[in-house]
Structures are given as C-alpha cells and as structure tokens.
Amino acid sequence: MKKILFVASEAVPFIKTGGLADVVGSLPKCFDKEYYDVRVMIPKYMCMRQEWKDRLEYVSHFYMDYLGQSRYVGILKSEYEGVTYYFIDNEWYFSGYAPYGDWLFDLQKFAFFCNAALSALPVIGFKPDVVHCHDWQTALIPVYLKDRFRGGEFFWSMKSVITIHNLKFQGIWNVDTIRYLTGLSNYYFTPDKLEAYKDGNLLKGGIVYADAITTVSDTYAKEIQMPFYGEKLDGLMRARSNSLRGIVNGIDYEEFNPETDEFIVKNYNASNFRRQKVKNKVALQKELGLTEDPKVMMIGIVSRLTDQKGFDLIQCVMDELCQDCIQIVVLGTGEERYENMFRHFAWKYQGKVSANIYYSNPLSHRIYAACDAFLMPSLFEPCGLSQLMALRYGTLPIVRETGGLKDTVEPYNEFANTGTGFSFCNYNAHEMMNTVRYAEKIFYDRKKDWNKIVDRAMAKDFSWQASALKYQEMYDWLIG
Ligand code: GLC
C-alpha cells in the first residue's frame, strides 16, 4: 500500500475560500483504494461551520518548540466519504474569522502549520511515502524535509510534491522575517533557494526543493515558464521544467450532477435538457426578482471577485451589453470595487442584472442549472473549475483562452459543427463583448445549433478519473 498525505490550507466540505478547497476535498477519494492510502491534513479553524467541528474526534496532542516557545499542537480527525482527514489544532493561530487575514500573521500561521504537520506524523504513526503539498501555505514542507526533518529513519525517504494552484500568491516578506519565521539558516537565503528579488519567498522554497512539481492544467504549466504569467518566477519554472507537469483538475461528478442535484428545482440530463433545463431558469428569475421570461438568454458568473477573473473587462462593456436582450446573474465576494460595481449595475438594470454578493453553494448550483451561458474572461486561470461545472450542466462557457480554460473549453466552430463553448484570445473588453454577442446570435437565431453545442458540452467527461491516474503515475515514479 502506498501512503500519500495531502497537506493544504483548505478542503471541502470543512473549509473553503476558493477552488483549492474543491480540489483537496474531491481528489483524494478518487484514487485506487486497493493500492493507495491517501489522507489529508488541514488546520482546524475556529471559523469552520459547527456541524463539521462536531464531527471531529480527538486523536492526540503534543508540545512543539516554535519561535522560542513551547506550543500546543492538537491532532483531531474525521472520516469523510472514505477519506481520513487530520486537523491541526492551535487556538492562537487558527481562531480568525476566516482562514486568511493579515499577511504577516498568515506567514507565521502557515510556517507553524508546516512544522506542526510534519511533527504530528510520528505521533499519529502515519508515515507517508509522498507528502503532497498545495500552494504557498504548505511550501515549506519540501524544504523542511531536506533540512530539519531529514535525519532519522522516519523522514529520510519521504518524497514531496508541490502543486501550484495559483502562482500569484507566493508568501513573500523580507528575508529577516522569513528567516525568523521559518527557523531556516542563512544558507537558504540565496537567489537559488528561498530568496527572490531580495525578499524571502516560501513558494519558491517549495518549488526548489520538491521532488516533483505539478500545476493544474497543461497550458498553465507552459504559461508560467514565460514572463507574462510567470509572476517573476518564470526563470525558475524553466529551470525546473523537467520536474514540472500539468495535470488538469476534475470536479466531483456526484456532487455536480443535474440529474440528481437536490439544490435545483428541476432535474434534467443530456437527453431531456431541451424541455426541462429552462424550468430552472424561470424558477431562478422568480427567486432573484428578475423579469420572468423563459426565452431570454441568461448568463451566469460564479467567482471570487478578484482582478484575476477579468472583471475590469466586464466593467468596461457592461452598459453596452445591458442594451442586449440578456440577463446576468452574479454570485461571489471579493474586492470591494467589483462588489460595488455589480451592485451598481443591478440597481441600474433592475430585472436584468442580479448581484448576489455573498457565497452560497446551493445558489451556485441553481445558477449553473438555470443559465444558458457562463462567463469567465480571466486574465489568467491555472485551471478554473466553474467552467467544468457549467459544461456538466449544459451551460455554455464563454471564456478567455488562457490556462485551464483553453484546455477544457473547445470553441464553437459553426462550419465544422464542433466545440463546447465560446472563447476569445486577447485580454480586450470588446473582443469579449463580440464573443458574447456571437453567442447571443447562435442562441437566438440558431437554437438547434446551440442545443447541439449543449449536447457536446454535456457529453464531456471532466470527472477526476483520468487525472487521478496521472497523479498515481507520478507517485509511483517518485516512490520507485
Ligand atoms: C486556484 C486557481 C484556479 C484553480 C484552483 C484549483 O483557485 O485560481 O484556476 O482551478 O486554484 O486548482
């Protein structure tokens, strides 16, 4: 039995701020249980919902020296859908209102977490062959495995993988602070290790020291080796390109299934969507106070409202777009200026635009089911999960050709009758608008062709099956 430990800062259903949590919460159960024992470790946040906190069982605790003090490390666990989740408990670090807050405190919080996670392993008696880390929050683990945790029988053969879900976030502060928080010696703070542009950089440490590096789509794996997407680490990504691979994300096909989804008003499938899907649209129009009209084209946006997602393009042409016969439904939170922008347009175009500035999983399902199209004009997109959910619900993605969007949405070709959505290339608001208008034209004037695109979209398979095999292959190769 090969033993794998995922270490991450979030995992569905326990705690989620973004797509990282979906991946960490849905991939582990997709491995072949006969050969792989895959477990997950995350912090025990006070802000987890009570129903999840109630499920945790105490395992053990110990005290660990960190920053000159002896600190409590509690270990709890919970089985969920056949996977064991461990939780690292420390009230000082994990009692915020959200998993992340103050940058400097977060650096300390996750440096503590990386130390505690490795120290907990001998205590629970789980000795993974591979520790699979995710993003900057856990990027110190590959470094520690080659440093302070190197000696001794327990850790010496342990391999590490780091998966980059978003290269933009790296965990950067000045060298003195990072040296203090990590407890690493001067040796590590040179430009070939944790130093980057005179600062200390945690993610860089993970990328330098991990035995293998993955990111969440093929295109993003290539993009980050170039300056535009490389977030100043493109040189390092090129240097490590032999150890870097892109493995596209999947989604949980049980959870996201229009045929069985309990959150939506009318279930449907690939053979009856022509009649049934629209009932979800009318119900959502009622629910959100939009003009009730089964014929109008409804466009959905479910997203963190951040720069990455291309909202400045939408801002630029929203007035023009709202002259068209369309409805736009938004769900998500994020940067204040985008939250206010959507509130403003919802006020200006009542009955046409609905801004839901919060997060709700049930509402997100109803949006995927109700809308005709799903807009995602990202500036960059390591993988993107919403477009996969949209495809599954026969809601055609309109995307910019970057990262995982490029790899998972095939643009409609009206001559060859191929494609599962619509896409544009340049980060340009009018290019986006023209693509939306092209989609409108197909929707209104050539409904049969539109429905055939939906047929193809719903026939695609973006479950974890294929990608889980690729991770297994990588683990096998690492373990040897
Ligand atoms: C990050 C990326 C997103 C990706 C997700 C899961 O949120 O921005 O593109 O799908 O991680 O890997």
Side-chain angles (χ1 to χ4, degrees):
M1 189 70 111
K2 292 169 180 166
K3 299 198 206 78
I4 315 292
L5 180 72
F6 275 46
V7 188
S9 57
E10 41 185 286
V12 158
F14 302 100
I15 186 84
K16 163 169 171 170
T17 72
L20 168 63
D22 291 304
V23 172
V24 177
S26 60
L27 172 57
K29 65 178 174 221
C30 301
F31 292 107
D32 186 342
K33 294 219 161 49
E34 233 183 279
Y35 300 102
Y36 299 86
D37 177 359
V38 183
R39 307 187 190 182
V40 181
M41 188 177 272
I42 62 174
K44 174 185 177 276
Y45 298 106
M46 203 165 79
C47 60
M48 278 167 34
R49 288 215 335 249
Q50 195 60 43
E51 68 173 291
W52 301 117
K53 282 194 276 191
D54 289 344
R55 299 171 57 121
L56 308 187
E57 303 159 42
Y58 172 86
V59 177
S60 182
H61 77 272
F62 60 94
Y63 286 84
M64 178 183 86
D65 278 332
Y66 178 64
L67 304 183
Q69 270 182 41
S70 168
R71 300 184 193 240
Y72 177 86
V73 180
I75 307 168
L76 297 95
K77 78 170 186 182
S78 178
E79 293 287 313
Y80 185 76
E81 295 186 338
V83 175
T84 300
Y85 288 79
Y86 294 106
F87 299 80
I88 297 293
D89 185 19
N90 178 290
E91 291 203 355
W92 168 252
Y93 286 117
F94 303 126
S95 58
Y97 292 112
Y100 321 120
D102 177 74
W103 283 100
L104 187 54
F105 188 63
D106 287 350
L107 288 165
Q108 183 173 146
K109 183 191 299 180
F110 291 108
F112 167 81
F113 177 60
C114 291
N115 275 290
L118 289 177
S119 305
L121 295 179
V123 178
I124 55 181
F126 184 64
K127 184 179 165 192
D129 299 294
V130 178
V131 183
H132 190 154
C133 311
H134 298 265
D135 277 354
W136 74 267
Q137 295 91 338
T138 51
L140 267 177
I141 288 176
V143 186
Y144 285 151
L145 281 176
K146 302 239 155 98
D147 180 67
R148 65 176 55 168
F149 285 90
R150 186 178 195 167
E153 197 273 328
F154 194 85
F155 288 103
W156 75 270
S157 64
M158 215 175 272
K159 297 286 197 287
S160 65
V161 175
I162 187 147
T163 294
I164 302 167
H165 295 263
N166 194 333
L167 190 59
K168 183 156 185 121
F169 303 106
Q170 300 178 1
I172 299 174
W173 210 265
N174 64 55
V175 167
D176 287 342
T177 305
I178 296 287
R179 186 172 36 217
Y180 170 69
L181 294 178
T182 59
L184 292 167
S185 69
N186 260 330
Y187 166 82
Y188 288 93
F189 294 90
T190 53
D192 58 332
K193 304 189 191 73
L194 269 71
E195 186 196 311
Y197 306 92
K198 307 268 178 262
D199 281 328
N201 184 319
L202 298 185
L203 182 65
K204 186 174 179 193
I207 296 169
V208 169
Y209 284 98
D211 297 296
I213 308 160
T214 76
T215 186
V216 288
S217 70
D218 258 327
T219 294
Y220 194 61
K222 294 194 186 92
E223 285 174 340
I224 57 179
Q225 298 181 46
M226 298 184 280
F228 185 81
Y229 295 99
E231 305 290 345
K232 296 162 93 181
L233 294 185
D234 49 293
L236 173 63
M237 299 317 310
R238 288 195 297 278
R240 291 231 61 195
S241 60
N242 280 337
S243 308
L244 167 68
R245 63 187 94 191
I247 302 179
V248 73
N249 287 335
I251 54 170
D252 188 332
Y253 261 40
E254 306 268 294
E255 195 198 337
F256 295 96
N257 182 355
E259 204 163 7
T260 54
D261 193 326
E262 284 171 8
F263 296 128
I264 69 178
V265 170
K266 187 73 205 174
N267 290 115
Y268 59 94
N269 58 33
S271 46
N272 66 15
F273 74 86
R274 285 174 176 77
R275 284 173 180 282
Q276 306 299 349
K277 182 169 164 47
V278 67
K279 295 180 183 164
N280 291 294
K281 173 157 59 178
V282 178
L284 191 67
Q285 288 167 334
K286 255 203 192 95
E287 179 182 344
L288 301 178
L290 293 166
T291 308
E292 286 171 41
D293 174 0
K295 294 216 154 66
V296 68
M297 176 168 164
M298 186 187 268
I299 302 178
I301 296 172
V302 178
S303 182
R304 288 181 285 118
L305 303 181
T306 63
D307 266 339
Q308 175 195 337
K309 303 289 179 175
F311 291 113
D312 44 351
L313 300 188
I314 296 177
Q315 178 160 32
C316 186
V317 293
M318 189 73 172
D319 278 308
E320 276 176 86
L321 270 180
C322 286
Q323 308 310 312
D324 297 1
C325 182
I326 54 170
Q327 292 183 343
I328 298 180
V329 177
V330 180
L331 174 65
T333 61
E335 288 169 34
E336 217 174 280
R337 61 186 172 124
Y338 295 128
E339 295 187 344
N340 289 334
M341 165 186 115
F342 282 119
R343 287 190 184 108
H344 166 79
F345 285 119
W347 163 81
K348 190 166 175 187
Y349 298 103
Q350 270 168 39
K352 269 193 111 144
V353 177
S354 167
N356 306 279
I357 309 302
Y358 54 90
Y359 188 72
S360 153
N361 187 44
L363 181 57
S364 76
H365 283 240
R366 289 201 286 277
I367 293 175
Y368 293 122
C371 289
D372 300 293
F374 191 87
L375 183 58
M376 226 172 146
S378 305
L379 173 60
F380 67 94
E381 196 60 79
C383 177
L385 300 170
S386 312
Q387 84 279 14
L388 305 180
M389 297 161 189
L391 287 166
R392 175 86 164 136
Y393 283 76
T395 301
L396 302 186
I398 303 175
V399 303
R400 184 170 164 262
E401 287 158 21
T402 182
L405 297 175
K406 187 169 171 186
D407 294 347
T408 57
V409 179
E410 189 195 337
Y412 174 51
N413 179 326
E414 60 183 39
F415 305 105
N417 268 309
T418 55
T420 54
F422 301 86
S423 67
F424 61 99
C425 173
N426 294 299
Y427 195 71
N428 174 296
H430 282 89
E431 210 172 304
M432 176 190 77
M433 192 182 73
N434 290 336
T435 307
V436 174
R437 290 204 161 144
Y438 175 57
E440 287 173 33
K441 198 179 106 187
I442 308 297
F443 180 82
Y444 284 115
D445 302 344
R446 298 180 22 206
K447 203 39 162 290
K448 283 211 168 112
D449 291 332
W450 179 275
N451 282 335
K452 282 189 193 140
I453 311 176
V454 176
D455 280 331
R456 289 190 291 270
M458 293 185 79
K460 283 271 167 194
D461 181 1
F462 287 108
S463 66
W464 274 110
Q465 207 96 48
S467 296
L469 286 178
K470 291 189 182 163
Y471 281 111
Q472 287 180 187
E473 253 171 54
M474 178 183 65
Y475 298 146
D476 292 349
W477 171 76
L478 279 172
I479 297 167

